[in-house]
């Protein structure tokens, strides 16, 4: 056997020699020579630590969030733009052909929802209201040849061609639309493919990753999660690196028939998952739920229902847009959330969409909407969603991710809003003092930091209307700092706590013992996360926070390459919180 050992000793004493603290640590390793020569396969394991640095969502602007989430991850699958156009033409030609050979009055008399479908067909598609001359298209394209091309492209093409070939029989009542759409796995294949080509879901994955990185104890609730499409993507992010970064995930659906399969599929997270029935069109508090959730997810992807007959007359599992009243639905969702929590909605946002209504308009649940703006189907624009969010206790969408942004055929968007409350009184800052770190040591302020300090002073005074001053002489600070919040500016040119003079130590001690709060900003031209000077500040503030519970202390590391609007905005945002 072989052994190695090391001994560490730490002593803290007063100037008079009295020992205040003495800690001794001895570590010894024992090894078997035979075992020691054995090669260890794979990379060395980090048994005691794993450190990751990621942006703070709360400190990012909408533009920064959208830029970050759009610039990472695998690119979306390339879509053939010509084929997208041909699919669009296929819907129109199919509707044009069937209109010539059906008895519309008989259909209206026999089925109200198919009557709505005919109304939509005649007034929104065949009337050229969408600026497309269907009759001209019929001269340029052969329907059968077009069907053969579209059918062999992807699951979406197969689904569309299946509907076009059976549309007349469905409208005549000879073929049941539910049977047509759900007779096999094609519908689910269509949604799985849609997820693969969706840029928005990649963006959302990065957003959820940032959300869970900062707060790994969130309670999630997914509305109408039965098909599992969104659940799989979200949980994949929340459990990456084999670390479960959530407290609870509540899987809900209007039908309990999904739950057994879901419990099996998500058995690895069983200890943190709950499966409960929820009808979001009704008050959730009357269904046994409470306002305890931090994140609500409502996605319209996935439609592999174990019992399609349950869709015949009831609400459809496309989550929010297929409910009777969007206003009531969002109000019910708000009742589930704590103030400051998030709602994440993935919705089709093109009310003029032909392909969506062409397929799903054959089902009765598609026409449940009662609002005037939803006469031609349940979909509403992104602007309409923003107005609805604002009217039901949410912020206008904090951030939106569009599928293939800039594409005229783009129809889906992920919108993220924040649950608000009654207006709350703004935080009060009776007295704010900004000072350069050099002032603590009677040194002249650094020129770069001086520019930042003056910009910061102007912004805080203008935006908050509070008493704010720039301090150039620390000796003028009164003894009682109980109502004073300090913003202390340091940078690469300062030494932080390294080589601390007695004078600087005394001033810092006075500040920490008496002030109401301290925001210590360390600006740098490089990454400071492993910088020993800046890290002494971080360690010091953590100690102060544990020793002085009343003191609010925060350290902020920011760029000083071009002190201006960006760095000032970061400081103000942290100060506000």
């Amino acid at each position: 056997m072989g052994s190695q050992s090391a001994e560490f000793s730490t002593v803290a004493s007063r100037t008079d020699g009295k020992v205040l603290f003495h800690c001794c640590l001895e570590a010894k390793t024992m090894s078997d020579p035979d075992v020691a020569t054995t090669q260890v396969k794979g990379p060395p394991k980090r048994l005691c630590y794993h450190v990751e640095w990621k942006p703070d969502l709360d400190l990012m602007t909408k533009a920064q969030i959208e830029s970050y989430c759009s610039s990472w991850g695998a690119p979306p699958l390339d879509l053939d733009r010509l084929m997208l156009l041909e699919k669009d033409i296929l819907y129109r030609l199919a509707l044009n052909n069937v209109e010539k050979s059906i008895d519309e009055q008989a259909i209206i008399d026999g089925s109200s929802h198919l009557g709505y479908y005919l109304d939509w067909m005649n007034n929104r598609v065949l009337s050229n209201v969408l600026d497309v001359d269907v009759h001209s298209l019929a001269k340029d394209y052969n329907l059968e040849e077009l069907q053969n091309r579209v059918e062999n492209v992807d699951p979406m093409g197969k689904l569309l061609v299946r509907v076009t070939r059976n549309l007349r029989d469905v409208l005549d009542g000879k073929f049941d639309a539910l049977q047509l759409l759900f007779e096999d796995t094609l519908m689910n294949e269509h949604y799985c493919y849609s997820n693969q080509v969706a840029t928005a879901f990649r963006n959302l994955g990065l957003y959820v990753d940032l959300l869970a990185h900062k707060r790994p104890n969130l309670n999630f609730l997914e509305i109408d999660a039965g098909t599992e499409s969104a659940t799989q993507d979200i949980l994949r992010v929340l459990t990456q690196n084999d670390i479960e970064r959530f407290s609870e995930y509540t899987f809900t659906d209007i039908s309990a028939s999904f739950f057994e399969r879901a419990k099996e599929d998500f058995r690895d997270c069983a200890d943190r998952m709950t499966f409960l029935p929820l009808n979001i069109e009704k008050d959730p508090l009357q269904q046994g739920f409470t306002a305890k959730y931090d994140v609500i997810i409502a996605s319209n992807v996935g439609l592999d229902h174990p019992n399609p007959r349950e869709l015949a007359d009831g609400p459809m599992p496309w989550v929010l847009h297929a409910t009777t009243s969007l206003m009531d639905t969002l109000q019910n969702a708000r009742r589930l959330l704590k103030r400051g929590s998030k709602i994440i909605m993935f919705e089709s946002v093109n009310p003029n969409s032909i392909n969506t209504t062409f397929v799903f308009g054959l089902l009765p649940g598609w026409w449940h909407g009662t609002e005037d703006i939803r006469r031609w189907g349940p979909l509403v624009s992104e602007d309409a969603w923003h107005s609805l969010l604002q009217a039901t206790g949410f912020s206008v969408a904090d951030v939106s991710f569009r599928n293939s942004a800039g594409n005229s055929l783009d129809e889906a968007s992920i919108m993220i809003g924040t649950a608000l409350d009654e207006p709350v009184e703004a935080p009060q800052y009776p007295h704010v003092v900004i000072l350069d770190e050099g002032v603590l040591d009677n040194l002249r302020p650094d020129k770069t930091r001086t520019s930042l300090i003056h910009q910061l002073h102007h912004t805080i005074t203008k935006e908050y209307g509070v008493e704010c001053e720039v301090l150039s002489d620390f000796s003028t600070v009164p003894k009682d700092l109980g109502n004073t919040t300090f913003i202390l500016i340091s940078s690469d040119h300062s030494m932080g706590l390294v080589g601390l003079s007695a004078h600087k130590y005394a001033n810092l001690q006075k500040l920490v013992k008496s002030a109401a709060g301290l925001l210590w900003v360390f600006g740098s031209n490089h990454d400071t996360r492993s910088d020993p000077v800046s890290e002494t500040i971080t360690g010091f503030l953590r100690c102060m926070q544990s020793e002085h519970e009343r003191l609010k202390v925060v350290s902020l590391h920011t760029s000083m390459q071009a002190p201006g609007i960006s760095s000032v905005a970061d400081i103000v945002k942290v100060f506000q919180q």
Side-chain angles (χ1 to χ4, degrees):
M1 300 290 287
S3 67
Q4 291 182 329
S5 64
E7 184 174 328
F8 308 89
S9 183
T10 301
V11 178
S13 63
R14 294 194 321 199
T15 54
D16 60 5
K18 182 178 180 180
V19 176
L20 300 176
F21 177 80
H22 183 197
C23 176
C24 184
L25 174 67
E26 181 178 359
K28 180 174 291 187
T29 62
M30 306 291 292
S31 63
D32 187 324
D34 295 331
V35 176
T37 58
T38 303
Q39 295 251 340
V40 178
K41 296 181 180 180
K45 294 183 178 180
R46 296 179 175 183
L47 297 178
C48 300
Y49 73 98
H50 178 75
V51 178
E52 286 187 81
W53 292 85
K54 294 182 180 179
D56 187 333
L57 273 176
D58 294 335
L59 303 182
M60 299 170 75
T61 64
K62 178 179 180 179
Q64 288 173 332
I65 294 172
E66 291 177 348
S67 174
Y68 175 88
C69 293
S70 299
S71 61
W72 292 73
L77 298 181
D78 185 32
L79 297 178
D80 187 330
R81 300 302 169 192
L82 176 60
M83 183 50 62
L84 288 174
L85 178 61
E86 290 200 331
K87 288 176 181 177
D88 190 66
I89 294 171
L90 177 60
Y91 316 136
R92 301 174 191 274
L93 291 182
L95 292 170
N96 183 55
N97 283 1
V98 78
E99 188 265 342
K100 300 174 182 177
S101 59
I102 58 174
D103 184 345
E104 294 192 15
Q105 190 58 50
I107 294 173
I108 294 172
D109 293 341
S111 172
S112 60
H113 77 276
L114 291 180
Y116 292 135
Y117 189 91
L118 289 180
D119 194 22
W120 164 79
M121 179 181 74
N122 289 321
N123 289 281
R124 302 300 291 174
V125 183
L126 302 182
S127 66
N128 300 330
V129 70
L130 300 180
D131 298 324
V132 178
D133 187 345
V134 179
H135 301 292
S136 297
L137 291 176
K139 298 176 183 178
D140 300 329
Y141 286 87
N142 178 281
L143 180 59
E144 188 62 33
E145 292 178 358
L146 188 57
Q147 286 175 333
N148 292 335
R149 287 200 301 272
V150 171
E151 186 176 30
N152 293 312
V153 174
D154 51 44
M156 184 187 302
K158 289 185 176 69
L159 180 64
L160 296 175
V161 171
R162 175 183 291 185
V163 174
T164 61
R165 288 176 173 160
N166 294 277
L167 182 58
R168 177 179 174 181
D169 288 340
V170 171
L171 293 176
D172 284 340
K174 298 176 181 178
F175 205 133
D176 182 46
L178 283 169
Q179 181 181 348
L180 177 69
L181 298 178
F182 299 101
E183 63 183 3
D184 53 22
T185 62
L186 180 57
M187 180 64 74
N188 202 46
E189 292 171 13
H190 156 60
Y191 275 104
C192 288
Y193 174 78
S194 298
N195 282 356
Q196 290 176 0
V197 300
T199 58
F201 252 95
R202 288 178 172 81
N203 301 149
L204 177 60
L206 289 163
Y207 179 91
V208 172
D209 179 51
L210 294 182
L211 200 64
H213 181 74
K214 181 174 182 179
R215 300 175 60 196
N217 60 339
L218 298 174
N219 291 322
F220 288 77
L221 181 140
E222 186 177 351
I223 300 172
D224 285 333
T227 59
E228 302 179 11
S229 297
T231 319
Q232 292 172 359
D233 289 331
I234 298 298
L235 285 179
R236 189 178 299 115
V237 173
L238 295 177
T239 58
Q240 63 186 17
N241 298 322
D242 295 324
I243 300 173
E244 294 181 332
R245 298 181 299 165
F246 65 100
S247 179
E248 180 183 6
Y249 197 106
T250 302
F251 182 105
T252 76
D253 196 87
I254 194 171
S255 170
S257 56
F258 289 104
F259 295 163
E260 287 306 314
R261 184 181 67 179
K263 289 177 182 178
E264 175 61 24
D265 291 343
F266 302 116
R267 57 187 178 278
D268 291 342
C269 300
D271 60 326
R272 297 184 183 219
M273 291 192 72
T274 305
F275 301 85
L276 295 172
L278 170 64
N279 184 347
I280 197 59
E281 293 204 74
K282 298 180 179 180
D283 187 347
L285 304 185
Q286 299 299 319
Q287 301 175 61
F289 290 86
T290 58
K292 71 171 185 176
Y293 297 99
D294 302 293
V295 182
I296 279 182
I297 298 166
S299 169
N300 71 343
V301 297
L303 197 59
D304 181 21
H305 202 290
N307 183 10
R309 284 291 158 191
E310 293 186 11
L311 300 177
D313 299 309
M316 300 181 67
W318 289 299
V319 193
L320 304 184
H321 70 245
T323 55
T324 303
S325 168
L326 297 180
M327 185 80 73
D328 291 345
T329 297
L330 286 174
Q331 286 175 340
N332 287 334
R334 176 62 186 88
R335 293 185 177 103
L336 290 164
L337 290 169
K338 297 181 287 188
R339 184 180 184 279
S341 299
K342 302 294 182 181
I343 183 168
I344 300 174
M345 309 184 303
F346 185 28
E347 284 288 343
S348 296
V349 290
N350 181 5
N352 293 324
S353 170
I354 293 180
N355 64 330
T356 312
T357 303
F358 176 76
V359 174
F360 298 113
L362 296 171
L363 299 173
W366 191 253
W367 306 100
H368 280 172
T370 57
E371 301 94 333
D372 291 340
I373 62 171
R374 299 203 291 161
R375 176 183 175 186
W376 306 112
L379 306 182
V380 298
S381 68
E382 191 168 309
D383 287 341
W385 278 114
H386 291 176
S387 297
L388 286 162
L389 285 169
Q390 194 170 26
T392 53
F394 293 95
S395 64
V396 174
D398 304 333
V399 64
S400 298
F401 303 123
R402 295 297 295 268
N403 266 347
S404 306
N407 172 15
S408 61
L409 298 174
D410 177 25
E411 295 184 345
S413 177
I414 289 178
M415 295 161 283
I416 303 172
T418 300
L420 305 176
D421 211 335
E422 295 299 321
V424 294
E425 186 177 350
Q428 299 299 311
Y429 307 101
H431 188 210
V432 178
V433 172
I434 308 173
L435 70 156
D436 184 278
E437 183 193 334
V439 172
L440 294 176
D441 215 11
N442 290 337
L443 299 177
R444 180 175 296 178
D446 177 83
K447 291 183 178 179
T448 303
R449 300 198 297 264
T450 299
S451 174
L452 177 64
I453 287 171
H454 286 303
Q455 292 180 58
L456 186 60
H457 173 262
H458 174 76
T459 302
I460 291 179
T461 304
K462 181 179 179 181
E463 290 194 9
Y464 293 95
V466 298
E467 181 186 353
C468 179
E469 64 175 303
V470 176
L471 191 68
S472 58
D473 183 358
F474 198 82
S475 64
T476 62
V477 174
K479 293 183 178 180
D480 183 10
L481 303 176
N483 292 324
T484 303
T485 296
F486 282 87
I487 301 178
L488 185 60
I489 308 296
S490 300
S491 70
D492 289 336
H493 307 297
S494 59
M495 294 301 293
L497 300 178
V498 178
L500 198 65
S501 68
H503 184 74
K504 183 177 181 180
Y505 175 78
N507 287 335
L508 187 61
Q509 185 181 47
K510 177 182 179 181
L511 189 156
V512 170
K513 289 177 66 176
S514 305
L518 171 62
L519 170 57
W520 197 328
V521 180
F522 192 91
S524 177
N525 294 326
H526 63 277
D527 189 342
T528 62
R529 290 174 292 190
S530 58
D531 181 84
V533 174
S534 65
E535 287 304 289
T536 60
I537 296 174
T538 302
F540 168 75
L541 293 181
R542 287 174 179 170
C543 291
M544 294 304 98
Q545 183 69 79
S546 63
E547 294 179 9
H548 303 277
E549 293 184 0
R550 63 160 192 82
L551 178 67
K552 297 179 181 180
V553 294
V554 177
S555 62
L556 173 65
H557 298 248
T558 187
S559 171
M560 291 286 284
Q561 291 179 347
I565 294 176
S566 177
S567 50
V568 169
D570 289 341
I571 297 170
V572 170
K573 193 173 291 185
V574 174
F575 171 73
Q576 184 181 11
Q577 295 183 17

